[in-house]
Amino acid sequence: MIERTLFSEDHESFRDSVRKFLAKEVEPHHSRWEDQGYVDREIWLKAGENGLLCTSMPEEYGGAGADRLYSVVLMEETSRANATGLGFGLHSEIVAPYLLSYGSDAQKQHYLPRMARGECISAIAMSEPAAGSDLQGIKTSAIRDGDHYVLNGSKIFITNGWHADLVIVVAKTNPNAGAKGTSLFLVDAGTPGFEKGKRLKKIGMKAQDTAELFFDNVRVPASALLGKENQGFIYLMQELPWERMQIALMAVANAQAAIDWTITYVKDRKVFGTTVASFQNTRFKLAELQTEVQIAQVFVDRCMELLEKKQLDTATASMAKYWTTDLQCKVIDECLQLHGGYGYMWEYPIAQAYADARVQRIYGGTNEIMKELITRSMGLGAG
């Protein structure tokens, strides 16, 4: 196995503390959270107490001022534990960076410290019933009315949506300008006209609250605008490489976990008087899967090196997201097969991972959209 050079000793020490936190505070409760459809709010506070939220945010805003590789460690370990109920990544490394990059000092001071402590849970509302990967097609509107904006519309598939105290809402401020008429707004839970719908029941990721959001003449002050008016689409595009890399990082970590679980299982499970691991098919299949995951890990690590240097382009990030999530689903499916009938039982982590992983090929932009973006970088336009 190729030794990873991405992390320092401090990163690996942090990894050990994350594993201990997950083993003590998350894994014993995750099954119950799946049954209830959301994690307890208390886990957010415990994560904040242990410095696991907004680690890459500056200390002046409540973060640890650490590099993003600490967040990578947290994502990888969460994925290895298959703790899919935790929405920490979206909160800390999608919502918080939008605030840090485009927010006013007042907005950052108001939200980021509470987010770092786990007191304010955040979400971002992009997808709509008729606009998923196509962000240019959103219909939610924000019309200026004096010193306020009035929001109308609905959002769907919103991670952390049911728990959220703060939502970044993507809305059209100039409906006739296409993508150039999009803006971002900070909307607090409890704002009149802002309603959370039912928690959506999903194939997998059952402990992660995912909700519909509704905006009926929601009046927010002009100060709730994040960044500049009509610049929202540009902001979204600038952050997408990192967002897609997060999905890729978690996909590889989860695929490796699936292999590790399977190795343990086939060494112990006996069929026809011998272990499943003794069959050539088992050994060769795991060798194939481990090789592909190793290749993916090297590519993803290189992408992270480029990202840290601000050199990762959108097409390469799209390649990473599409390739690793397709691979993740393939690896988990093959590993489940090696478990036999037990692989279909929910008590086994491979069964849970099988259900949880499928959405990786959809969210963050479907893999079909990723391929479209890649072809454009190759000079291949549709038609």
Side-chain angles (χ1 to χ4, degrees):
M1 299 287 285
I2 296 175
E3 182 180 354
R4 301 178 72 185
T5 59
L6 197 60
F7 304 107
S8 67
E9 289 184 8
D10 288 341
H11 292 126
E12 295 303 337
S13 177
F14 179 67
R15 186 185 301 277
D16 184 60
S17 66
V18 171
R19 285 183 177 177
K20 290 177 180 176
F21 176 85
L22 293 172
K24 179 182 178 182
E25 304 291 354
V26 175
E27 293 174 27
H29 306 288
H30 207 269
S31 178
R32 175 173 59 82
W33 293 341
E34 288 180 332
D35 291 338
Q36 70 184 20
Y38 58 92
V39 304
D40 298 334
R41 282 190 73 102
E42 183 183 10
I43 194 61
W44 286 86
L45 297 173
K46 288 183 177 180
E49 291 171 4
N50 284 270
L52 302 184
L53 300 177
C54 302
T55 56
S56 62
M57 293 300 103
E59 292 182 35
E60 64 181 301
Y61 298 122
D67 63 61
R68 276 194 290 205
L69 295 180
Y70 284 89
S71 296
V72 171
V73 168
L74 178 59
M75 293 173 199
E76 289 185 341
E77 292 308 314
T78 300
S79 294
R80 285 197 178 100
N82 211 49
T84 53
L86 303 178
F88 295 168
L90 180 139
H91 171 88
S92 299
E93 289 299 335
I94 295 181
V95 177
Y98 277 111
L99 274 161
L100 183 66
S101 298
Y102 312 114
S104 66
D105 189 61
Q107 289 172 333
K108 288 184 276 194
Q109 292 285 3
H110 181 66
Y111 290 111
L112 287 175
R114 292 189 295 126
M115 288 172 62
R117 293 192 297 268
E119 297 168 1
C120 175
I121 299 173
S122 63
I124 184 164
M126 299 187 198
S127 296
E128 297 184 0
S133 297
D134 178 18
L135 295 178
Q136 299 185 61
I138 65 169
K139 301 297 183 184
T140 297
S141 63
I143 306 302
R144 186 70 183 252
D145 181 22
D147 294 331
H148 289 75
Y149 286 89
V150 180
L151 276 64
N152 281 284
S154 64
K155 300 290 183 177
I156 198 167
F157 311 138
I158 308 306
T159 301
N160 294 344
W162 189 73
H163 263 323
D165 304 295
L166 166 68
V167 180
I168 295 180
V169 180
V170 182
K172 284 287 182 68
T173 37
N174 186 347
N176 299 318
K180 295 181 180 179
T182 304
S183 301
L184 307 181
F185 293 90
L186 301 173
V187 182
D188 294 313
T191 303
F194 171 28
E195 300 291 339
K196 299 176 182 179
K198 62 183 180 182
R199 292 189 308 277
L200 302 173
K201 293 184 178 180
K202 309 181 295 294
I203 290 176
M205 290 193 167
K206 296 180 180 181
Q208 184 186 92
D209 79 85
T210 306
E212 296 176 286
L213 304 179
F214 301 96
F215 305 90
D216 183 12
N217 290 320
V218 177
R219 293 181 65 85
V220 296
S223 60
L225 177 68
L226 182 61
K228 296 180 180 179
E229 189 176 279
N230 298 325
Q231 296 296 301
F233 191 75
I234 294 174
Y235 298 157
L236 294 170
M237 293 302 103
Q238 289 173 342
E239 298 296 330
L240 278 177
W242 173 221
E243 293 176 22
R244 286 169 179 159
M245 279 308 303
Q246 293 176 53
I247 298 172
L249 287 158
M250 292 186 289
V252 175
N254 192 239
Q256 183 61 60
I259 292 174
D260 294 342
W261 300 328
T262 305
I263 290 173
T264 299
Y265 179 82
V266 297
K267 284 182 175 179
D268 182 64
R269 174 68 172 164
K270 290 188 176 181
V271 178
F272 300 120
T274 187
T275 64
V276 175
S278 68
F279 292 101
Q280 185 184 71
N281 177 70
T282 301
R283 301 195 310 274
F284 281 15
K285 179 58 66 178
L286 287 170
E288 293 167 6
L289 298 178
Q290 185 64 78
T291 300
E292 292 184 76
V293 171
Q294 175 71 92
I295 292 168
Q297 187 71 78
V298 172
F299 178 52
V300 166
D301 283 359
R302 177 56 180 154
C303 287
M304 276 305 305
E305 291 174 353
L306 292 172
L307 184 72
E308 289 296 273
K309 297 177 182 177
K310 302 186 186 302
Q311 296 174 359
L312 183 67
D313 60 90
T314 298
T316 305
S318 299
M319 291 176 187
K321 190 272 179 184
Y322 130 66
W323 177 257
T324 57
T325 55
D326 272 10
L327 177 62
Q328 176 191 17
C329 289
K330 171 190 172 182
V331 168
I332 293 173
D333 182 69
E334 296 278 15
C335 287
L336 188 151
Q337 187 72 18
L338 290 174
H339 279 71
Y342 287 103
Y344 205 64
M345 299 297 105
W346 193 253
E347 65 191 271
Y348 282 77
I350 196 67
Q352 298 169 33
Y354 182 85
D356 292 345
R358 185 57 182 84
V359 75
Q360 296 271 78
R361 295 169 59 194
I362 298 173
Y363 66 21
T366 67
N367 285 1
E368 289 72 25
I369 294 296
M370 296 302 100
K371 293 173 187 178
E372 281 290 341
L373 295 173
I374 294 165
T375 58
R376 291 175 192 175
S377 74
M378 300 166 65
L380 300 170

